Amino acid sequence: MGHHVDSEVGWLRTVMLHRPGPELKRLTPRNNDSLLFDGIPWVGRAQEEHDAFAEALRGRGVEVLYLGDLLTETLAVADAREAAVEGVLADERLGQTLRGAVRSHLDNLDGEGLATVLMAGLAHEELRTGTGLAYQMMDRHDFVIDPLPNLLFTRDSSVWIGEQVAVTSLAMPARRRETTLTGLIYRHHPRFAGTTHLYEPGLESVEGGDVLLLAPGVVAVGVGERTTPAGAERLARRIFAGKLAHTVLAVPIAQERATMHLDTVCTMVDVDAMVMYPNVADALVAYTITDDGEDPRVTGPQPFLKAAAAAMGVEAVRVIDTGLDPVTAEREQWDDGNNTLAVGPRLCVAYERNVETNERLMEAGIEVIAISGSELGSGRGGPRCMSCPIDRDGVEG
């Protein structure tokens, strides 16, 4: 079955989500910072909110795939199971003795149990067979296998560009093992047989939240806290080699928690329109990268909106004027007000709490499917962050 995504706003047909599970129950005041969460979510409520999000998508005809289900099915493939276990055992913290105990523990799990451990981790006290110096010197609160609470944000670990998938190279140590799991799914699950991999872990840092498909043939890549200039260049080279786009825009963004990815600053809501954090709209610039043979050609910088319009072949990119005062703008930016998921042209999913931003979107002719996110947002991510589109209809461009 083929898959294709060439824009942010073509009608969404298939999406991959991750329903929050036991990995979120691992979060405590002791570890939430290192695991990149700003608070301790109420897991049951987060699951209710996520279920409502998934149901809202299904109500618009979207096929919802769950990462956990895909992983369990993938682990039925012997090579995938072995690669998954080897990925965990590569952790240099373990030491030879503990590594053997972990191997034995994982080998005795069925596919569903192994998938759960790979996602939720393995606590020190859960490994009853643990032994050796590394195990004995661990604190009782330590994890032998770290949990992956940020799996919730499926946008970051993979992104489809055309018919190819970029399994990304995540910047933060707490998240790097996520791409081991997504990589296994795309390489071994029957649904994705024959898929070409555009990018892979271990290369220069690139995260999916920084990649926006502005229009067919035009890709914007945020460069900041999570994606490096070298990563953006490597991705551009591979995009050009695969004839997947004619222009890549490298967009510097502030290296701050509130603007960790480009999609926390702006997202597309129509073929020629985006909602954008007003405090950066005038300051955002872009370097334009085009295919020029062996070495891509780089020009700029110039204002982002001007560069985007030129690359997209439109007179101007419409920016939804939120008209927010600076305090409200900053609050709704922190609450992912600009992180919308387009289900189709002029139809997007947004957090209901961003009342002012949503009102401006509706006034501009954008239908908003408002969802609750009081607990889902504790990891700093909105509807776009929580979704990896796998199939979209094409749009004219």
Side-chain angles (χ1 to χ4, degrees):
M1 181 178 181
H3 305 285
H4 184 270
V5 180
D6 67 3
S7 78
E8 296 291 324
V9 300
W11 283 100
L12 184 60
R13 298 304 177 188
T14 303
V15 68
M16 180 168 66
L17 308 181
H18 176 63
R19 186 178 191 267
E23 68 280 351
L24 285 193
K25 295 181 180 179
R26 303 293 202 182
L27 292 165
T28 69
R30 185 182 298 104
N31 65 26
N32 69 291
D33 285 344
S34 64
L35 291 173
L36 310 179
F37 269 68
D38 293 322
I40 311 301
W42 176 6
V43 178
R45 180 59 55 82
Q47 290 173 329
E48 291 174 2
E49 292 173 350
H50 195 273
D51 289 344
F53 173 41
E55 194 55 38
L57 294 176
R58 292 190 190 98
R60 299 293 178 140
V62 181
E63 177 190 22
V64 174
L65 305 177
Y66 286 110
L67 185 149
D69 293 340
L70 293 171
L71 179 60
T72 299
E73 293 159 3
T74 298
L75 293 173
V77 179
D79 287 348
R81 182 182 176 105
E82 179 60 23
V85 172
E86 287 295 333
V88 168
L89 297 180
D91 188 340
E92 62 185 16
R93 299 176 305 129
L94 298 180
Q96 187 171 349
T97 304
L98 179 55
R99 187 170 288 112
V102 173
R103 157 71 79 173
S104 179
H105 179 84
L106 298 180
D107 283 348
N108 286 323
L109 298 174
D110 62 16
E112 185 176 356
L114 179 58
T116 297
V117 170
L118 293 173
M119 296 184 291
L122 183 67
H124 177 272
E125 294 185 340
E126 292 171 343
L127 186 63
R128 303 299 185 187
T129 58
T131 185
L133 182 63
Y135 182 79
Q136 293 181 46
M137 292 190 69
M138 279 184 174
D139 185 274
R140 61 185 295 268
H141 299 292
D142 286 344
F143 291 99
V144 176
I145 299 173
D146 290 330
L148 300 175
N150 292 281
L151 278 174
L152 174 65
F153 307 119
T154 55
R155 176 73 61 159
D156 293 331
S157 61
S158 67
V159 55
W160 287 78
I161 303 177
E163 296 82 21
Q164 299 187 25
V165 65
V167 179
T168 58
S169 186
L170 300 176
M172 308 301 282
R175 300 198 63 182
R176 287 176 187 158
R177 197 166 55 80
E178 293 176 39
T179 54
T180 301
L181 306 186
T182 50
L184 286 173
I185 290 168
Y186 289 127
R187 289 197 183 280
H188 295 283
H189 195 284
R191 172 139 191 171
F192 303 107
T195 297
T196 299
H197 286 224
L198 177 65
Y199 211 81
E200 57 268 353
L203 298 175
E204 299 88 347
S205 293
V206 169
E207 300 200 355
D210 278 319
V211 180
L212 272 64
L213 308 186
L214 298 182
V218 183
V219 180
V221 182
V223 175
E225 184 188 56
R226 304 296 179 89
T227 297
T228 64
E233 180 182 278
R234 170 90 70 170
L235 180 62
R237 284 177 174 272
R238 293 192 168 196
I239 286 171
F240 295 146
K243 307 298 182 184
L244 302 174
H246 56 73
T247 304
V248 174
L249 303 177
V251 186
I253 55 176
Q255 298 190 38
E256 300 172 355
R257 179 68 167 153
T259 57
M260 73 180 83
H261 290 130
L262 183 58
D263 69 4
T264 63
V265 175
C266 61
T267 47
M268 298 293 293
V269 291
D270 198 0
V271 292
D272 63 346
M274 63 175 58
V275 57
M276 179 180 289
Y277 182 32
N279 292 6
V280 304
D282 294 331
L284 213 58
V285 300
Y287 293 81
T288 299
I289 309 170
T290 51
D291 192 2
D292 193 24
E294 184 175 347
D295 291 313
R297 182 169 181 262
V298 181
T299 58
Q302 62 178 318
F304 168 64
L305 293 172
K306 180 179 179 180
M312 295 165 66
V314 298
E315 185 174 340
V317 176
R318 292 189 296 126
V319 176
I320 306 302
D321 183 4
T322 57
L324 304 180
D325 65 86
V327 173
T328 301
E330 188 173 1
R331 283 174 56 86
E332 298 205 0
Q333 158 67 14
W334 181 252
D335 286 335
D336 297 295
N338 302 291
N339 190 262
T340 64
L341 169 67
V343 179
R346 299 174 299 285
L347 173 63
C348 70
V349 183
Y351 281 151
E352 63 183 2
R353 64 174 176 245
N354 295 306
V355 175
E356 298 293 333
T357 298
N358 293 346
E359 285 185 359
R360 299 305 189 279
L361 283 167
M362 290 184 286
E363 289 171 0
I366 309 299
E367 182 182 353
V368 176
I369 304 169
I371 64 168
S372 176
S374 61
E375 299 303 314
L376 290 175
S378 59
R380 298 267 63 80
R384 187 181 191 273
C385 292
M386 295 189 296
S387 56
C388 176
I390 291 174
D391 279 311
R392 283 189 184 272
D393 288 351
V395 297
E396 293 184 4

